[in-house]
Amino acid sequence: MNTKDFYIGVIFLSLTGWILLYILKAPTFQVTGPGPFFLPAIAALSIGGLSIALLLQSFKQPRGQAVPKQEKRMRGRIIWIMVWCLIYALIVERLGYLLSTGVLSFALLAYFNRGKWLLNIILSVITPSLIFILFDTLLKVSLPRGWFGF
Amino acid sequence: MEVLDKLLFGFGVALSPVNFMYCLLGVFIGTIVGVLPGLGCMNAVAILIPMTFGMNPTAAMIMLAGIYYGAQYGGSITSILLNVPGEATTIVTCLDGYAMAKKGRAGPALGISAFGSFIAGSLAICGTILFAFPLTTVALKFGPPEYFGLICMGLVILTYLSQGSMLKSLLMAVLGIFISTVGMDSMTGVSRFSFGNISLREGVGLVPIAMGMFGLGEILSDLGDQEKREVLKTRLTHLFPSRQDWKDSKWSILRGTVLGFFLGILPGGGALVSAARCATVTKKRRGFAPKLAGVHRQSKQRP
């Protein structure tokens, strides 16, 4: 069994279930035509069908090769970045751009640039500040302000 | 004949030394702003409009057009050098431009991109002026069923040309359709999958997705790559394409011009559809080469 394809199939099948559940729970509207959830439903059913096909295909395929140690380490790094990106997406509107980007920069630098605490702190403060000055102050592109107003 | 006279008159005005200088200045400033990822051409123009206050209206229009084109080209620079598309339209540029940059041919990639854009843009402007009226009547006959057919054809072509598992390609195409449904429904105003988030209510933008996929993807792939990156250390030389470069890319440029011209007149289609179509057609013509053929072949020839 190809475990990689199997997990991809499971993830997308779960996504299908979630979308369909969302659509079923959504309030109905008296509208002409198929309604606002017609296309998402079609997309969800297509994703479901293709996921099942992928799952079935994964059973027929031979097992993939063992993951090398280096790749495992790389996966750990990718997961670390993805988790922090997710946290960033959740906190950026609340804490504001400056603070949340500083936190994200420090978290990533602390992981990839271990031991150099002072440099990491300086970079985490200076980089978001410079970007903030360039985009928000000079170019007037509004960046999220958050609870603290910056 | 009258149209031709007006076209020549327009060129005469645009090419006068003062207007030409304003155009050059606009392109220069637009390129600087366009390099900043996520800002986009329209934002660049909007931000820099105050610069044209107090100017002659013709010169101001020329400068704004220069800013627009400069910002568009700025997106190509980041696509080629960093694999981060500054604009949705430069996503396709990443595919081969970055491949060339990695092989130390960033200069010719930037040159071909600039000259290709200039040739296609100039020819398209002439074509639009000469054939505007008949083309408009054709464009207006394009309704929702025709657009639906066009998008379906695009998805089928993309899936057909993609490498690896056909099943996964289809899965990704359908996932893309689902992501495009996030946000407010244009017919009923109902908010879908937004969870009360104002940003999500506006839909998922193509530029953030492209930047995440290409830019973040590049960063993530670099984490596992032990080789040292040479792209930014490489000196940008040979910006003017060589005779061989022209020979290799002339058909791609002409194909892009013709396709871009006809797809560009369709309302709502935009430059992205044209760029993607041209990329797929070029790829198809070169016999399923892994990258866009014109520039890819060059990068192979000159390591």
Side-chain angles (χ1 to χ4, degrees), chain B residues 145-229:
Chain B
E146 286 81 7
Y147 277 113
F148 182 75
L150 191 72
I151 299 296
C152 280
M153 189 188 79
L155 289 172
V156 170
I157 289 175
L158 279 175
T159 313
Y160 180 58
L161 293 177
S162 61
Q163 292 173 332
S165 167
M166 172 77 80
L167 207 56
K168 285 182 193 165
S169 303
L170 279 169
L171 195 60
M172 289 303 113
V174 181
L175 182 69
I177 292 174
F178 167 69
I179 291 172
S180 73
T181 65
V182 173
M184 197 179 282
D185 178 38
S186 55
M187 298 298 288
T188 57
V190 173
S191 191
R192 300 176 296 197
F193 309 104
S194 61
F195 308 102
N197 187 307
I198 297 166
S199 305
L200 279 177
R201 205 171 290 170
E202 290 169 4
V204 182
L206 191 58
V207 173
I209 285 203
M211 283 178 66
M213 274 174 61
F214 285 88
L216 198 64
E218 186 59 32
I219 293 166
L220 294 178
S221 75
D222 275 356
L223 292 174
D225 212 350
Q226 295 300 312
E227 68 178 85
K228 281 203 164 187
R229 292 174 65 92

Side-chain angles (χ1 to χ4, degrees), chain A residues 26-144:
Chain A
T28 49
F29 296 90
Q30 198 66 39
V31 287
T32 54
F37 290 101
F38 176 72
L39 192 59
I42 294 286
L45 290 173
S46 307
I47 292 172
L50 289 164
S51 310
I52 291 167
L54 194 66
L55 277 172
L56 293 173
Q57 199 186 57
S58 72
F59 287 119
K60 289 179 189 168
Q61 284 176 343
R63 191 184 169 84
Q65 289 176 340
V67 181
K69 203 176 175 182
Q70 193 189 337
E71 203 176 316
K72 272 187 182 171
R73 204 185 318 149
M74 192 188 88
R75 280 186 188 176
R77 290 170 172 184
I78 290 171
I79 289 168
W80 180 260
I81 292 180
M82 300 298 271
V83 166
W84 272 102
C85 284
L86 197 68
I87 293 169
Y88 182 69
L90 292 171
I91 64 172
V92 72
E93 294 284 347
R94 292 169 180 85
L95 292 185
Y97 169 80
L98 210 52
L99 205 59
S100 49
T101 310
V103 170
L104 175 78
S105 307
F106 183 74
L108 296 179
L109 283 168
Y111 187 82
F112 292 107
N113 201 22
R114 285 177 197 185
K116 298 172 182 172
W117 293 102
L118 188 65
L119 181 71
N120 293 346
I121 291 168
I122 291 170
L123 284 173
S124 306
V125 172
I126 289 177
T127 314
S129 306
L130 285 177
I131 295 170
F132 188 83
I133 291 166
L134 176 67
F135 281 89
D136 198 281
T137 313
L138 296 176
L139 296 173
K140 306 289 179 201
V141 177
S142 117
L143 293 171

